């Protein structure tokens, strides 16, 4: 008789599950110690072991309990189905949670902020693919090793726990205990925070339910607060915005935590009107531009990233309508964050970004991924100086710098790092500041370079005749997130100063203001002094800069942290951040709010703003279309209009649709041609030929202002396309604006466009100016409309 061996399968019990839970928690303890150590090394913390570490342990206990409760039931069910199935599945899930926690902690200690809703977009914006892969390659083996080791060490703990209350009740009690503990980013389980915030956002039912279709729209009223500071001349002033990326208030002035690294800006502060209690409305550089130039809300991802045109009235658009030349200057790629789209919609006269620099300018050094941000600040200012002879007065110039932005690859970096070390030796600072500066020398070197570039630009501008009638508005986009934040308000504190020969007396104002207050005050200043065509209605989220010696109660300031992160809000003197309420002091510091703070009222206003912000941008309800200064080129056709459109075009080849629209225009069917053109642009916004055709059609109808508005926008968007210049030269000639043709010649030459037709049209304009024969030429050759079949005035073949 054969002997048989009875082989039994390994039976997994709750003892094994308990060991895994304890191993999971102990692994989280190691991650917590790693977090605190990294923050200590970076100079954020004074010690590794302290209250925040203890609270982090407590929240890790709560998270372990929260995860283990449902997993215990899943574990038992799977074990009953097949031996070790529950064990293997639970083991893998715990490992995935550990790896996730490490990745989130690594982001936190690198960027000093915790990820919540919109985490994928934010993480991808600040972490390269190579950095993510390296993090995983290091994290996964270490997590496996730690988890396995602790699982082995916890083999004898079940008996101890078994003598206590039932295990599930213990877990539930621990979880309940953490609900009442103090949660801050430093002491919170990062995975739990992400899941809770992402879920809350997904289930957010906070919707605008008001009876006003345009809740932010109100009659425009001139704000006269700047008249106290600025003495205007007879001619409208030139306005120059200088937006310094990442430059916060802590770098400016003797009281700044990191003073001494921007000496020119410090000196300019003492010669300007300076708002010491000033905030950026955004924690991201790209989102600050629409707020600074338009006092616009943020939408869900930043106003410039809405993906559609939203009706609005901005500073650039308003001043363009009043004869200003408007220009934007940036050393990087304006299309990456859709600034170009935003500016084109406001008919900016000139957009100069990295595509406009030539071989004589040197790009910033590439980062580790082989990518260059663009041209550094000194090259940006040098390019402007080379091109400025074309400018007409008055003008608005907007500069957005990039040298003080990650990866801080400035020219001659080592030279500026040496200067950082010299400043450190010559100044006395507290131990924490010294540690942070030493660890981030490249950051402070970039600030020195940015400041030096700004100094050179202002010194050059002072030599120009335009200087005596120019207002400089200098501010930071937001505070650097690469340095440890001092508190939840830190990322928003930025300098704001108005520097100009027109300033009556240099003064420091201490009332609470934000980027959104700039445009209402500037337009109010100009409206009260010049006969300007200003919009009847506005939708500004700011009220005006105002004046004062302290922070007054009742000021509302919405704060957009980052993509999907409108989580902060101010109703002075209170500040809401991540559900916590603080009180703002007169020097823009924060402290815990008193117990009787109007928490419910603050949260109600905050939620109301979030709902309105989402509604007005998503539904295009910022301002009524008839109240905007610039009409849209395209719109969604009605059902009846679509029937006609489908009768003449029903396909996907929009080049053929353009040919149809052009034929309609040549045959004199202008309105039909405009309708089809609008439809084309609604589907293909960048169809250049269609935009040019619309500009020509309006000219043929005698609407020269509308035609020029469209065609000037075309040459900004398509600066090397000869057809746009050809059409614009025709309209300038027909409307008797030949002096503009001569100015346009410089732009054609600068873009190296060689075209015989353009040369002949410029010569025609010069002759007309010389002989004063515009009207005679029209009488002899007929009106523009009679030239529809003349290829020199229709679209060139």
């Amino acid at each position: 008789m054969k002997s048989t061996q009875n082989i039994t399968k390994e039976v997994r019990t709750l003892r094994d599950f308990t060991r895994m839970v304890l191993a999971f928690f102990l692994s989280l303890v190691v991650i917590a110690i790693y977090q605190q150590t990294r923050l200590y090394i970076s100079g954020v913390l004074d010690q590794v072991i302290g209250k925040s570490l203890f609270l982090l342990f407590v929240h890790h206990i709560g998270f372990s309990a929260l995860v283990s409760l449902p997993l215990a039931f899943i574990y038992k069910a799977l074990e009953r189905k097949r031996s070790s199935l529950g064990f293997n599945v639970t083991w893998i899930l715990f490992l995935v949670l550990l790896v996730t926690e490490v990745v989130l902690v690594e982001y936190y200690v690198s960027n000093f902020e915790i990820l919540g809703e919109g985490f994928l977009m934010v993480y991808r914006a600040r972490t390269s693919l190579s950095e993510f892969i390296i993090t995983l390659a290091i994290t996964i083996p270490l997590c496996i090793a730690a988890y396995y080791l602790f699982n082995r060490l916890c083999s004898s703990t079940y008996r101890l726990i078994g003598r206590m209350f039932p295990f599930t009740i213990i877990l539930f009690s621990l979880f309940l205990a953490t609900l009442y503990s103090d949660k801050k980013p430093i002491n919170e389980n990062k995975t739990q925070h992400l899941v809770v915030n992402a879920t809350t956002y997904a289930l957010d039912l906070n919707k605008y339910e008001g009876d006003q279709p345009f809740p932010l729209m109100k009659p425009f009223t001139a704000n006269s607060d700047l008249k106290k500071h600025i003495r205007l001349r007879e001619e409208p002033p030139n306005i120059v915005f200088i937006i310094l990326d990442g430059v916060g208030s802590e770098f400016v002035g003797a009281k700044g935590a990191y003073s001494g690294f921007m000496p020119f800006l410090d000196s300019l502060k003492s010669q300007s009107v300076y708002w010491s209690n000033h905030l950026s409305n955004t924690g991201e550089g790209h989102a600050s531009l629409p707020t600074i130039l338009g006092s616009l809300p943020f939408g869900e991802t930043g106003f410039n990233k809405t993906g559609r045109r939203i009706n609005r009235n901005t500073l650039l658009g308003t001043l363009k309508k009043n004869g200003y030349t408007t220009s934007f200057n940036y050393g990087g790629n304006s299309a990456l964050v859709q600034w170009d789209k935003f500016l084109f919609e406001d008919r900016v006269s000139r957009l100069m970004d990295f595509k406009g620099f030539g071989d004589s300018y040197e790009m910033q050094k590439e980062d580790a991924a082989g990518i260059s941000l663009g041209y550094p600040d000194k090259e940006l200012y040098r390019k402007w100086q080379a091109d400025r002879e074309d400018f007409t007065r008055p003008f608005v110039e907007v500069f957005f710098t990039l040298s003080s932005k990650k990866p801080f690859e400035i020219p001659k970096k080592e030279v500026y790092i040496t200067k950082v070390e010299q400043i450190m030796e010559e100044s006395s600072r507290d131990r924490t500041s010294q540690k942070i500066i030493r660890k981030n020398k490249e950051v402070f070197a970039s600030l020195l370079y940015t400041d030096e570039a700004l100094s050179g630009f202002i010194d050059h501008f002072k030599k120009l005749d335009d200087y005596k009638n120019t207002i400089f508005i200098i501010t930071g986009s937001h505070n650097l997130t690469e340095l440890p934040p001092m508190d939840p308000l830190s990322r928003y504190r930025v300098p704001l100063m108005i520097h100009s020969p027109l300033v009556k007396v240099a003064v420091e104002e201490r009332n609470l203001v934000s980027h959104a207050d700039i445009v209402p005050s500037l337009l109010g200043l100009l409206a009260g002094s010049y006969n300007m065509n200003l919009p009847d209605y506005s939708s500004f989220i700011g009220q005006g800069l105002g004046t004062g010696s302290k922070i007054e109660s009742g000021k509302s300031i919405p704060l957009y942290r980052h993509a999907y992160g409108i989580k902060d809000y101010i109703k002075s003197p209170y500040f809401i951040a991540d559900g916590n309420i603080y009180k703002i002091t007169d020097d823009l510091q924060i402290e815990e709010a008193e117990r009787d703070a109007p928490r419910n009222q603050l949260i109600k206003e905050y939620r109301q703003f979030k709902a309105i912000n989402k509604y007005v941008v998503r539904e295009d309800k910022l301002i009524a279309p008839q109240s905007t200064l610039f009409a849209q080129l395209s719109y969604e056709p009605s059902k009846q209009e679509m029937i006609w459109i489908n009768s003449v075009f029903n396909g996907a080849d929009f080049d053929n649709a353009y040919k149809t629209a052009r034929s309609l225009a040549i045959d004199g069917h202008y309105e039909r041609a405009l309708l089809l053109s609008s439809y084309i642009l609604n589907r293909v916004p960048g169809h250049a030929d269609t935009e040019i055709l619309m500009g020509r059609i309006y000219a043929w109808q005698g609407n020269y202002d509308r035609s020029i508005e469209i065609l000037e926008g075309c040459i900004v968007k398509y600066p090397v396309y000869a057809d746009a210049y050809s059409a614009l030269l025709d309209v300038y000639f027909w409307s008797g604006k030949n002096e503009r043709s001569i100015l346009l010649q410089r732009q054609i030459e600068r873009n190296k466009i060689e075209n015989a037709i353009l040369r002949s049209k410029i010569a025609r304009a010069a002759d007309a100016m010389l002989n004063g024969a515009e009207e005679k030429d029209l009488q002899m050759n007929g009106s523009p409309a009679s030239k529809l079949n003349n290829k020199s005035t229709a679209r060139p073949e």
Side-chain angles (χ1 to χ4, degrees):
M1 186 174 179
K2 281 187 176 180
S3 63
T4 60
Q5 186 177 5
N6 186 23
I7 303 174
T8 59
K9 292 183 178 180
E10 183 180 4
V11 178
R12 301 287 186 177
T13 65
L14 197 57
R15 178 196 304 268
D16 301 291
F17 180 75
T18 304
R19 288 169 57 189
M20 286 192 291
V21 173
L22 291 173
F24 175 66
F25 167 68
L26 291 174
S27 298
L28 288 175
V29 168
V30 173
I31 296 171
I33 295 172
Y34 166 76
Q35 171 190 295
Q36 301 300 93
T37 303
R38 280 285 304 276
L39 292 174
Y40 172 75
I41 293 172
S42 64
V44 179
L45 298 180
D46 295 328
Q47 56 187 11
V48 174
I49 300 174
K51 180 182 177 182
S52 62
L53 179 61
F54 173 74
L55 288 173
L56 185 53
F57 287 167
V58 172
H59 289 131
H60 281 329
I61 291 173
F63 181 66
S64 300
L66 177 64
V67 170
S68 301
L69 278 171
L71 277 184
F73 296 100
I74 296 172
Y75 171 86
K76 291 292 290 182
L78 293 177
E79 282 298 323
R80 282 196 295 266
K81 186 174 183 180
R82 192 173 73 199
S83 179
S84 295
L85 178 60
F87 178 87
N88 292 331
V89 169
T90 304
W91 200 94
I92 292 171
L93 287 175
F94 277 137
L95 181 61
V96 169
L97 289 173
L98 286 175
V99 172
T100 302
E101 182 70 10
V102 173
V103 171
L104 295 176
V105 165
E106 185 63 30
Y107 178 88
Y108 175 69
V109 298
S110 299
N111 297 279
F112 308 110
E113 69 173 1
I114 191 168
L115 286 173
E117 66 265 23
F119 62 95
L120 283 177
M121 183 179 296
V122 178
Y123 187 84
R124 287 170 58 187
R126 296 191 176 177
T127 309
S128 66
L129 180 60
S130 60
E131 289 174 330
F132 176 67
I133 293 173
I134 291 171
T135 300
L136 288 183
I138 296 173
T139 299
I140 292 175
L142 289 178
C143 286
I144 292 174
Y147 188 44
Y148 177 79
L149 175 63
F150 286 127
N151 193 50
R152 297 279 294 179
L153 292 175
C154 294
S155 59
S156 61
T157 56
Y158 180 73
R159 185 174 300 173
L160 176 63
I161 294 176
R163 294 175 181 173
M164 300 167 64
F165 294 103
F167 184 59
T168 53
I169 296 178
I170 296 171
L171 292 177
F172 187 65
S173 300
L174 292 171
F175 169 62
L176 289 178
T178 62
L179 295 179
Y180 296 96
S181 58
D182 188 28
K183 280 189 174 66
K184 297 290 171 57
I186 192 173
N187 60 42
E188 191 171 1
N189 180 278
K190 308 302 182 286
T191 306
Q192 181 178 343
H193 178 91
L194 184 149
V195 172
V196 170
N197 278 264
T199 303
T200 302
Y201 178 81
L203 300 177
D204 184 14
L205 300 178
N206 181 35
K207 294 181 173 60
Y208 173 69
E209 297 178 347
D211 55 1
Q212 296 294 327
F214 299 92
L216 291 179
M217 192 171 83
K218 50 190 175 294
F220 176 83
T221 55
N223 186 310
S224 60
D225 48 27
L226 286 183
K227 287 186 177 181
K228 171 184 175 182
H229 297 300
I230 297 174
R231 183 184 297 106
L232 293 174
R233 298 160 63 94
E234 184 177 345
E235 307 83 14
N238 308 307
I239 300 171
V240 176
F241 283 89
I242 302 175
I243 306 168
L244 306 171
D245 199 340
V247 174
S249 297
E250 58 199 29
F251 306 116
V252 182
K255 295 181 181 179
Y258 305 114
S259 61
F261 294 96
M262 305 198 80
F264 176 73
L265 207 56
D266 289 343
S267 67
L268 214 59
K269 172 180 175 289
S270 63
Q271 306 167 33
S272 310
V273 182
Y274 183 79
W275 280 266
S276 54
N277 291 332
H278 174 256
L279 299 170
S280 169
N281 295 86
T282 68
E284 295 283 346
H286 79 83
S288 66
L289 191 68
T291 313
I292 294 171
L293 299 181
S295 192
L296 295 169
F298 321 113
E300 296 174 82
T301 57
F303 191 90
N304 47 302
K305 288 188 174 183
T306 55
R308 57 183 294 194
R309 190 194 189 283
I310 308 298
N311 287 304
R312 78 276 185 161
N313 292 322
T314 66
L315 178 74
L316 291 186
T318 302
L319 295 186
K320 178 69 181 287
K321 273 289 189 181
N322 285 276
Y324 274 75
T325 299
T326 58
S327 302
F328 179 74
N329 305 273
Y330 180 54
N333 185 354
S334 61
L336 286 179
V337 289
Q338 301 177 37
W339 279 343
D340 56 347
K341 171 182 170 293
F342 170 76
L343 293 162
F344 291 152
E345 290 170 352
D346 279 337
R347 308 298 194 270
V348 65
S349 307
R350 183 193 310 268
L351 190 154
M352 200 277 291
D353 67 359
F354 82 109
K355 298 184 293 292
F357 289 77
D359 296 336
S360 60
Y361 298 88
E362 185 175 352
M363 292 190 78
Q364 182 171 294
K365 183 181 175 182
E366 296 177 348
D367 60 17
I371 300 172
S372 171
L373 286 181
Y375 293 88
D377 295 357
K378 288 186 179 181
E379 296 292 77
L380 173 67
Y381 297 135
R382 185 164 72 91
K383 174 64 175 172
W384 179 86
Q385 292 165 16
D387 292 349
R388 71 163 304 277
E389 59 189 282
D390 291 345
F391 293 6
T392 56
R393 300 178 199 142
F395 58 78
V396 181
E397 289 292 334
V398 181
F399 294 87
F400 206 108
T401 71
L402 55 71
S403 293
S404 49
K405 179 179 180 179
K406 188 179 180 181
F408 311 107
E409 292 292 348
I410 58 173
K412 301 179 181 179
K413 184 199 286 189
E414 294 304 319
V415 173
Y416 291 95
I417 287 179
T418 301
K419 291 182 180 181
V420 171
E421 294 169 346
Q422 291 173 349
I423 293 173
M424 287 284 291
E425 292 176 0
E426 297 168 359
S427 61
S428 58
R429 301 175 189 274
D430 61 75
R431 183 170 170 270
T432 300
S433 297
Q434 288 178 358
K435 184 185 290 187
I436 292 172
I437 294 170
R438 287 196 184 99
K439 186 173 176 61
N440 297 278
K441 288 180 181 178
E442 74 283 356
V443 174
F444 291 90
S446 75
L447 294 171
L448 284 170
Y449 172 85
T450 298
D451 187 68
E452 189 174 281
L454 177 62
S455 175
F457 171 69
I458 297 293
D459 286 345
H460 172 83
F461 208 106
K462 286 181 177 179
K463 300 173 184 176
L464 306 176
D465 290 339
D466 290 323
Y467 175 72
K468 60 181 179 289
N469 196 32
T470 297
I471 297 173
F472 294 88
I473 298 166
I474 304 172
T475 187
S477 62
H478 67 298
N479 201 0
L480 281 172
T481 55
E482 284 73 22
L483 298 181
M486 297 178 180
D487 54 53
L489 194 60
S490 179
R491 69 168 59 230
Y492 305 109
R493 295 190 190 98
V494 293
L496 172 66
M497 63 183 74
I498 293 181
H499 176 75
S500 173
L502 304 176
V503 168
K504 297 176 182 177
V505 179
V507 66
E508 179 177 337
E509 298 287 2
R510 298 183 59 79
N511 56 309
L512 182 63
V513 294
S514 72
H515 278 159
D517 296 314
I518 297 173
V519 166
S521 286
L522 271 181
L523 285 179
L525 174 70
L526 299 176
S529 304
Y530 305 101
N531 184 24
M532 286 192 163
N533 175 26
L534 296 176
D536 295 326
Y537 293 91
S538 70
S539 54
F540 302 142
I541 61 171
Q543 298 86 44
L545 292 171
T547 58
S549 59
K550 64 178 182 178
I551 292 177
E552 297 180 353
S553 299
K555 175 87 172 185
S556 298
I557 301 179
L559 301 168
Y560 169 92
R561 189 181 298 181
H562 49 53
Y564 299 103
I566 305 174
K567 302 184 68 173
D568 305 332
Y569 187 79
I570 288 175
K571 181 77 170 191
S572 62
Y574 298 104
F575 167 50
I576 301 178
D578 288 318
N580 299 302
I581 296 184
Y582 305 90
K583 190 170 185 179
I584 303 174
T585 66
D586 282 340
D587 57 354
L588 208 58
Q589 302 302 308
I590 62 172
E591 55 190 29
E592 293 292 336
E594 61 271 18
R595 290 187 176 182
D596 60 349
R599 179 184 180 85
N600 292 336
Q601 180 62 28
L602 291 170
I603 292 177
K604 179 181 177 181
E605 289 191 27
Y606 160 64
R607 289 173 60 83
Q608 183 180 24
F609 169 75
K610 284 185 67 176
I612 290 174
N613 168 77
K614 184 189 299 184
Y615 164 77
V616 296
V617 175
R618 180 180 288 180
E619 304 297 329
D620 189 13
K621 296 295 184 180
L622 192 57
I623 198 167
Q626 64 269 23
S627 298
T628 58
L629 294 174
F630 294 108
Q632 296 192 45
L633 291 179
S634 62
Y635 64 92
E636 191 67 34
S638 66
K639 294 178 181 179
Q640 294 89 337
E641 289 171 336
M642 274 306 305
I643 293 174
W644 175 81
I645 289 171
N646 290 333
S647 72
V648 296
F649 170 71
N650 189 9
D653 189 345
F654 286 93
D655 287 335
N656 280 337
Y658 160 73
K659 292 176 182 177
T660 301
R662 181 176 180 273
S663 296
L664 288 167
I666 290 175
D667 291 340
H669 304 298
Y670 299 143
E671 296 305 323
R672 291 297 196 189
L674 287 172
L675 173 59
L676 183 54
S677 296
S678 173
Y679 175 76
I680 295 168
L681 291 175
N682 202 22
R683 299 299 186 271
V684 188
H687 203 283
D689 286 334
T690 300
E691 285 190 51
I692 295 168
L693 176 63
M694 291 185 78
R696 285 194 176 279
I697 292 172
Y698 281 114
W700 295 337
Q701 290 180 316
N703 190 346
Y704 295 129
D705 289 341
R706 179 78 170 120
S707 174
I708 290 171
E709 175 188 310
I710 293 172
L711 293 174
E712 285 184 341
C714 285
I715 66 170
V716 175
K717 292 188 222 179
Y718 320 112
V720 296
Y721 194 24
D723 281 10
Y725 293 95
S726 179
L728 186 56
L729 287 168
D730 281 338
V731 181
Y732 282 160
F733 181 71
W734 297 336
S735 60
K737 296 178 173 23
N738 291 297
E739 69 284 353
R740 295 196 188 184
S741 297
I742 306 305
L743 291 173
L744 194 60
Q745 180 182 7
R746 290 284 301 163
Q747 192 169 343
I748 294 170
E749 292 172 351
R750 186 170 59 249
N751 288 310
K752 300 178 181 179
I753 303 172
E754 296 294 334
N755 187 289
I757 294 176
L758 298 186
R759 287 195 296 271
S760 67
K761 291 183 178 182
I762 292 170
R764 176 185 64 183
D767 289 343
M769 289 179 65
L770 182 65
N771 302 321
E774 295 96 329
E775 185 178 350
K776 181 179 178 181
D777 187 274
L778 288 176
Q779 291 173 350
M780 292 176 62
N781 297 289
S783 67
S786 70
K787 303 184 179 186
L788 294 178
N789 293 307
N790 186 331
K791 292 181 181 178
S792 67
T793 55
R795 178 183 177 272
E797 296 295 338

